[in-house]
Amino acid sequence: MHLASRPIAAIAVLGALSLLSAGCSAGSDDDPTASPTRSASATATATATDSPTASSTPSPSTPDDTDDSPSAFPGTGQTTEPDDDPSEFPATAVVTYAGWDTGSRTLQAGGLVSGTTNTSGTCTFTASKGGVSRTLTSTAEASASSVNCAQVSFPAAQVSSGTWSITLDYRVGSQSTTSDPMTAEVP
């Protein structure tokens, strides 16, 4: 009884493959790029190394020689060479704080330089009012993506009452970048 069931199962499988093959090739007369169909016996004996002779999928194109992707800016921490001067990187100085501290009676200012992590430069804060200018320097401290310029304090004896304009200049060698002014009121 077992011997009789195997030939019936084999015939059923071949019949199913024939129907599947016939169903897949139905309507291929309308498609001029359709590939020829295989018989059920050829399908059953096909190997994994068989490949069609013509492909309907386009071959991948070769990459273009021009690369429009942006490259890393110097000073972003992505190069091993230190930056030599601000003109070679997109550095921008910004006064982040300027204000009067009543406890210490000082005009305080702080800032940062974005676009570089080069701390070899000098941070110079200038407070100006009318024709009077006061200047203090501070240390450049590294952060993950910028240079922080340490806070400076102009004593009350050096800054009279009124509105002062504070700028930050970051200089490396002979090149520099200067912030826009921020105003602070001295009582």
Side-chain angles (χ1 to χ4, degrees):
M1 177 113 164
H2 289 296
L3 295 178
S5 65
R6 285 187 182 167
I8 293 173
I11 291 172
V13 169
L14 285 177
L17 289 175
S18 295
L19 288 174
L20 181 62
S21 175
C24 290
S25 64
S28 65
D29 294 338
D30 296 337
D31 185 5
T33 62
S35 61
T37 60
R38 293 183 179 177
S39 67
S41 62
T43 302
T45 59
T47 63
T49 59
D50 286 348
S51 63
T53 56
S55 173
S56 63
T57 59
S59 63
S61 61
T62 58
D64 195 319
D65 288 339
T66 59
D67 183 14
D68 292 335
S69 62
S71 60
F73 287 108
T76 60
Q78 297 179 5
T79 63
T80 57
E81 297 296 318
D83 295 324
D84 291 330
D85 60 54
S87 68
E88 293 179 6
F89 54 86
T92 304
V94 177
V95 175
T96 57
Y97 172 77
W100 180 256
D101 182 61
T102 55
S104 64
R105 299 196 34 80
T106 59
L107 174 60
Q108 298 178 346
L112 65 84
V113 182
S114 64
T116 185
T117 57
N118 179 0
T119 59
S120 66
T122 303
C123 298
T124 304
F125 290 91
T126 303
S128 302
K129 180 184 138 199
V132 177
S133 290
R134 304 288 186 234
T135 303
L136 291 175
T137 60
S138 70
T139 59
E141 301 166 346
S143 73
S145 61
S146 63
V147 171
N148 292 329
C149 291
Q151 180 175 306
V152 295
S153 298
F154 297 93
Q158 292 183 357
V159 289
S160 61
S161 296
T163 303
W164 288 79
S165 178
I166 313 296
T167 58
L168 168 62
D169 179 77
Y170 185 69
R171 183 172 301 274
V172 178
S174 63
Q175 302 297 314
S176 67
T177 180
T178 304
S179 72
D180 288 334
M182 179 180 277
T183 59
E185 195 69 31
V186 175

